[in-house]
């Protein structure tokens, strides 16, 4: 019987890594209409198109903003205005005669603001083909009442798995928005972006030649039902002047590829004059960044800064391939500043697209960590764990007393979840589990854990050493000829989050990163963790439900495969040890816990300086 179970475990391991299952088993979700969802379908007419008979990006932005606003107002029950829009990546163009389908729904409502997700797809009526064009996340705020009171929004209650994922991750996106403006300042001040010499390239185009200035009078057709200028209309005007500036550099018709995250700084009304200024900040090999600034004024009044945006353009040849662009010669002082900042924004843009926009399975296990991409790695770390926990097709694999082991198979990926309720308040359990340096005291899979660097209050870097897998163990990554096996080590980014709202869990997320200060060595097998961590949810009677998740990489699977096959119950003993650890320390003061931690140091004090000095 034991041999049979071992064969079953081996078959499971082979199935996980051999990718023998071509289809993912998922529970079908009941079709349900989201009360905040708004749909808009528009057929593209010649009046909506540019010279190539393709839908202009400005017109698409107007439709997207209108749809998102209607969704926000449906939930709020009161007038709303656009506060900000996250990065938009335009994946495809839309031709005249094709249909644009836009869907918008509120993902999460906070106090007086809400996140609205917008999905844009294209439909060809003659071939019945559908494809995605872009997606966006917009933040809307409610307008004050006639008495000046703020409107408090009712919470969103997610029902489907997809809604639960968007609801959970919306808190992380909000966190990124709040620090967005500081990222480029920190990146430039740290010196981690190599300063480019704008005078080394000959035959450059002077930036002054790309300047565009245009004034628009806000008329009633440009305003919404609140007599404020449509945010989408302002964006459309900004895209127009940015396109002209880009055309002056390349002397061709450019294609808009991305719009960076931006915030509306204030409203404008009917009768305002909107002054748009655009200039090419920098040109790279196949793309250029155009900066646009919008100001509003009324008759003789002072100018009010409404919005600033940065847009990336490409020029495509007849085969749809990006063309090589002429370089730019910036203006002195301010032009040089914009030139250097464009380089920093390109770095940030690539980080966001590479780390955030991809699906979790598309991101390499270990991404190099540095201060410039820390915000996005932390976002990806926490979001991945929230997405994994929101899955609804977990299957109970084993149970002993109150400790349960669940598994989730997704094509070539096996994930597991261990959970149990403990008689410890959620906030206390979070505080105790968040410090990984204590984990070797209760987890036999952690032989050693040292904190390398404290990034900030919520993110830390650790090096973890785990015991070798005994030779002959199922899926063992170590050589059977090695008498004791080689120890494994992991470089982990630990990101912790407190609840953003009622019903949210505490989160401690873990993922592998690489550090130039801690390269792999011959003494250890360097392991990888794709997604792991704890969620801690407050339950009745001041108890907490603790769940541990792990997407099993080849280095992790040997430690759990025997539990999944039913050959052992080490998961039960580990969780019991964890529960005893939490119970023992629940009444200790924070200072006593710190003393017991032997005053874990921050690791090498020069880590940030070392990484910052590395030119990116």
């Amino acid at each position: 019987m034991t041999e049979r179970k071992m064969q079953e475990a081996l078959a499971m391991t082979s199935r996980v890594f051999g990718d023998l299952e071509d289809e993912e088993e998922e529970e079908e979700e009941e079709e349900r209409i989201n009360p905040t969802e708004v749909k808009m379908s528009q057929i593209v007419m010649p009046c909506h198109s540019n010279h190539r008979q393709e839908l202009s990006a400005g017109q698409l932005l107007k439709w997207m903003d209108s749809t998102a606003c209607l969704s926000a107002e449906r939930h709020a029950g009161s007038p709303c205005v656009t506060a900000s829009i996250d990065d938009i990546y335009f994946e495809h163009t839309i031709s005249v005669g094709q249909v644009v389908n836009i869907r918008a729904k509120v993902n999460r409502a906070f106090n007086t603001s809400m996140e609205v997700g917008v999905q844009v797809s294209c439909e060809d009526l003659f071939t019945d083909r559908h494809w995605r064009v872009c997606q966006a996340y917009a933040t809307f705020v409610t307008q004050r009442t006639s008495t000046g009171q703020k409107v408090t929004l009712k919470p969103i209650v997610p029902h489907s798995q997809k809604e639960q994922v968007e609801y959970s991750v919306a808190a992380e996106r909000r966190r990124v928005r709040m620090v967005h403006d500081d990222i480029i300042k920190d990146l430039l001040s740290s010196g981690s972006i190599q300063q480019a010499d704008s005078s080394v390239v000959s035959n450059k185009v002077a930036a002054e030649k790309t300047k565009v200035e245009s004034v628009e009078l806000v008329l009633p057709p440009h305003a919404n039902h609140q007599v404020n200028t449509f945010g989408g209309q302002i964006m459309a005007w900004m895209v127009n002047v940015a396109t002209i500036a880009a055309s002056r550099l390349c002397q061709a018709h450019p294609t808009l590829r991305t719009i960076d995250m931006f915030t509306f700084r204030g409203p404008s009304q009917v009768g305002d004059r909107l002054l748009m200024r655009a200039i090419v900040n920098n040109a790279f090999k196949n793309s250029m960044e155009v900066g646009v600034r919008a100001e509003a004024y009324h008759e003789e009044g002072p100018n009010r800064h409404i919005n600033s945006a940065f847009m990336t353009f490409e020029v495509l040849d007849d085969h749809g391939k990006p063309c090589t662009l002429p370089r730019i010669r910036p203006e002195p002082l301010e032009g040089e500043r914009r030139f250097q900042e464009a380089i920093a924004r390109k770095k940030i843009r690539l980080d966001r697209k590479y780390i955030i926009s991809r699906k979790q399975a598309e991101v390499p296990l270990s991404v190099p960590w540095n201060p410039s991409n820390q915000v996005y790695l932390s976002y990806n770390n926490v979001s991945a764990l929230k997405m994994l926990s929101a899955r609804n097709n977990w299957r109970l694999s084993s149970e002993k007393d109150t400790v349960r082991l669940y598994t989730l198979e997704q094509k070539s990926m096996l994930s597991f979840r261990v959970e149990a309720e403990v008689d410890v308040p959620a906030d206390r359990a979070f505080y105790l589990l968040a410090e990984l340096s204590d984990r070797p005291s209760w987890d036999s899979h952690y032989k050693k854990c040292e904190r390398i660097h404290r990034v900030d209050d919520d993110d830390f870097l650790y090096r973890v050493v785990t015991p070798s897998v005994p030779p002959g163990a199922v899926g063992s990554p170590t050589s059977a000829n090695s008498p004791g096996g080689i120890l494994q080590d992991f470089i982990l980014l630990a990101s912790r989050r407190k609840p953003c709202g009622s019903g949210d869990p505490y989160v401690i997320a873990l993922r592998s990163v690489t550090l130039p200060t801690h390269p792999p060595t011959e003494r250890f097998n360097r392991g990888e963790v794709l997604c792991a961590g704890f969620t801690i949810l407050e339950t009745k009677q001041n108890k907490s439900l603790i769940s541990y998740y792990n997407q099993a990489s080849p280095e992790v699977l040997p430690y759990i495969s025997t539990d999944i096959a039913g050959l052992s119950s080490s998961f039960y003993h580990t969780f019991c040890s964890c529960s005893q650890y939490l119970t023992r320390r629940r009444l200790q003061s924070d200072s006593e816990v710190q003393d017991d931690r032997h005053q874990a140091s921050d690791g090498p004090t020069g880590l940030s300086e070392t990484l910052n000095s590395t030119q990116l």
Side-chain angles (χ1 to χ4, degrees):
M1 190 68 178
T2 303
E3 183 179 357
R4 179 182 176 184
K5 287 187 175 181
M6 183 67 76
Q7 290 174 349
E8 291 174 352
L10 188 60
M12 178 175 289
T13 306
S14 175
R15 181 167 65 250
V16 170
F17 298 114
D19 198 15
L20 298 180
E21 285 192 345
D22 294 329
E23 295 184 357
E24 178 182 349
E25 296 181 8
E26 292 188 1
E27 295 179 0
E28 293 293 331
E29 296 182 357
E30 296 182 2
E31 287 295 328
R32 174 184 169 279
I33 298 176
N34 188 306
T36 70
E37 185 174 79
V38 172
K39 299 179 181 179
M40 176 186 289
S41 293
Q42 297 279 357
I43 189 165
V44 180
M45 305 298 290
C47 61
H48 304 139
S49 66
N50 56 23
H51 64 284
R52 289 192 297 265
Q53 297 298 294
E54 295 171 349
L55 175 65
S56 69
Q59 181 62 59
L60 177 58
L61 290 170
K62 289 167 63 175
W63 287 339
M64 291 170 63
D65 183 61
S66 298
T67 310
C69 183
L70 292 173
S71 174
E73 292 185 342
R74 176 174 287 185
H75 177 70
S78 62
C80 298
V81 294
T82 313
S84 68
I85 297 181
D86 292 359
D87 301 352
I88 303 176
Y89 298 92
F90 297 97
E91 301 175 18
H92 300 282
T93 57
I94 306 172
S95 301
V96 170
Q98 294 176 334
V99 174
V100 181
N101 294 311
I102 304 174
R103 298 175 60 182
K105 62 182 179 65
V106 178
N107 292 329
R108 181 161 186 165
F110 299 97
N111 188 22
T112 57
S113 67
M114 68 200 95
E115 179 192 274
V116 180
V118 184
Q119 299 281 345
V120 181
S121 63
C122 182
E123 175 185 357
D124 191 309
L125 297 174
F126 300 100
T127 62
D128 197 30
R129 289 193 308 117
H130 296 75
W131 60 92
R132 192 176 80 162
V133 176
C134 67
Q135 68 173 3
Y137 295 101
T139 301
F140 282 80
V141 295
T142 55
Q143 286 198 324
R144 295 176 182 267
T145 63
S146 57
T147 58
Q149 298 294 320
K150 290 184 177 181
V151 178
T152 302
L153 296 170
K154 59 184 178 183
I156 288 287
V157 180
H159 293 278
S160 68
Q161 174 182 293
K162 187 175 181 180
E163 289 176 356
Q164 181 61 53
V165 168
E166 292 290 0
Y167 178 87
S168 298
V169 180
E172 279 304 297
R173 285 190 289 262
R174 183 172 184 246
R175 180 186 177 93
V176 172
R177 289 182 201 113
M178 295 174 70
V179 300
H180 175 257
D181 292 339
D182 297 327
I183 295 175
I184 187 169
K185 297 177 183 177
D186 295 341
L187 190 59
L188 290 170
S189 62
S190 67
S192 56
I193 292 293
Q194 186 174 8
Q195 297 294 298
D197 188 352
S198 59
S199 62
V200 296
V201 181
S202 59
N203 300 323
K204 292 178 293 186
V205 177
E208 303 90 74
K209 292 186 178 180
T210 69
K211 275 186 176 181
V212 180
E213 185 173 301
S214 179
V215 176
E216 298 284 352
L217 175 61
V218 180
L219 299 173
H222 303 141
N224 56 24
H225 49 294
Q226 306 155 42
V227 200
N228 289 327
T229 314
F230 262 123
Q233 179 63 70
I234 297 174
M235 289 187 285
W237 284 333
M238 295 175 73
V239 169
N240 179 58
V241 294
T243 304
I244 296 172
S247 300
R248 288 180 175 174
L249 173 68
C250 61
Q251 296 183 335
H253 295 292
T255 299
L256 179 62
R257 283 305 185 203
T258 67
I259 301 178
D260 286 3
M261 182 188 302
F262 62 87
T263 302
F264 285 95
R265 300 172 181 268
S268 69
Q269 293 82 29
V270 171
D272 278 347
R273 282 73 168 166
L274 256 61
L275 173 63
M276 265 73 63
R277 295 190 178 97
I279 189 171
V280 176
N281 292 330
N282 204 336
F284 307 98
K285 182 179 180 181
N286 301 120
S287 65
M288 71 187 95
E289 181 195 274
V290 179
V292 190
R293 179 184 176 94
E295 298 176 349
Y297 64 93
H298 192 79
E299 296 178 349
E300 299 301 325
N303 287 14
R304 309 188 311 274
H305 185 191
I306 298 298
N307 193 5
S308 290
F310 301 98
M311 307 179 189
T312 305
F313 289 84
E314 292 179 345
V315 176
L316 306 179
D317 61 19
D318 296 336
H319 302 287
K321 302 296 182 182
C323 300
T324 302
L325 300 175
R327 305 306 295 271
I328 199 81
R329 183 174 67 250
E331 300 172 295
L333 301 178
E334 280 298 302
E336 283 285 351
R337 178 187 60 80
R338 291 193 297 264
F339 184 88
Q340 300 296 343
E341 288 181 353
I343 299 173
R345 277 189 293 270
K346 183 182 180 183
K347 167 71 170 65
I348 294 171
R349 200 175 295 125
L350 291 173
D351 284 340
R352 284 203 299 263
K353 184 176 181 181
Y354 183 67
I355 297 173
I356 292 182
S357 301
R358 292 188 174 201
K359 296 180 180 178
Q360 180 66 12
E362 296 175 348
V363 179
L365 292 182
S366 285
V367 175
W369 180 93
N370 60 66
S372 68
N373 68 4
Q374 158 59 27
V375 171
Y376 309 115
L377 277 175
S378 179
Y379 167 92
N380 179 267
N381 192 18
V382 176
S383 298
L385 183 61
K386 287 184 174 182
M387 291 179 188
L388 184 62
S389 66
R391 304 288 300 191
N392 58 10
N393 48 349
W394 291 92
R395 288 176 171 80
L396 181 64
S397 177
S398 182
E399 182 175 8
K400 187 172 182 180
D401 294 339
T402 59
V403 182
R404 296 170 295 278
L405 172 65
Y406 297 86
T407 57
L408 173 66
E409 294 183 59
Q410 302 168 264
K411 294 186 178 180
S412 61
M413 185 67 66
L414 174 67
S415 303
F416 63 88
R417 179 181 100 211
V418 186
E419 71 177 22
E421 189 176 50
V422 297
D423 190 13
V424 178
D427 58 342
R428 190 63 180 168
F430 170 73
Y431 174 78
L432 293 171
L433 292 176
E435 180 50 69
L436 290 190
S437 300
D438 289 347
R439 191 160 166 178
S441 66
W442 59 266
D443 188 351
S444 61
H445 296 125
Y446 270 51
K447 188 177 182 67
K448 180 181 179 181
C449 181
E450 60 175 327
R451 191 166 78 184
I452 300 172
H453 179 56
R454 177 184 179 277
V455 181
D456 52 36
D457 291 340
D458 297 320
D459 296 277
F460 302 82
L461 294 169
Y462 292 91
R463 177 176 177 267
V464 175
V465 177
T466 62
S468 60
V469 179
V474 176
S476 172
T478 59
S479 172
N481 297 326
S482 178
I486 302 176
L487 296 177
Q488 292 193 110
D489 70 342
F490 300 79
I491 304 299
L492 300 180
L493 170 65
S495 305
R496 59 190 189 185
R497 300 287 189 271
K498 294 181 179 180
C500 183
S502 177
D504 284 353
Y506 292 85
V507 175
I508 305 167
L510 307 171
R511 65 157 296 153
S512 284
V513 295
T514 59
L515 289 174
T517 55
H518 290 72
T521 64
E522 294 182 355
R523 294 179 54 203
F524 299 91
N525 281 331
R526 177 57 53 88
E528 306 277 358
V529 173
L530 176 60
C531 174
F534 295 91
T535 63
I536 306 167
L537 188 63
E538 185 176 352
T539 58
K540 297 179 180 179
Q541 299 177 343
N542 215 19
K543 297 181 180 181
S544 57
L545 179 67
I546 298 179
S547 303
Y548 175 74
Y549 298 85
N550 200 312
Q551 284 187 330
S553 61
E555 295 83 8
V556 173
L557 187 67
Y559 298 106
I560 196 69
S561 58
T562 53
D563 287 319
I564 295 174
L567 297 177
S568 71
S569 56
S570 65
F571 75 93
Y572 169 76
H573 298 296
T574 300
F575 236 74
C576 286
S577 179
C578 176
S579 177
Q580 293 169 5
Y581 162 80
L582 295 173
T583 303
R584 186 171 64 251
R585 296 203 172 186
R586 63 170 295 180
L587 299 178
Q588 282 185 296
S589 65
D590 292 350
S591 59
E592 290 174 327
V593 173
Q594 289 295 336
D595 290 340
D596 289 346
R597 287 173 178 171
H598 305 290
Q599 298 179 352
S601 65
D602 191 31
T605 57
L607 177 61
S608 290
E609 290 78 4
T610 301
L611 294 173
N612 280 328
S613 64
T614 304
Q615 297 297 327
L616 303 176

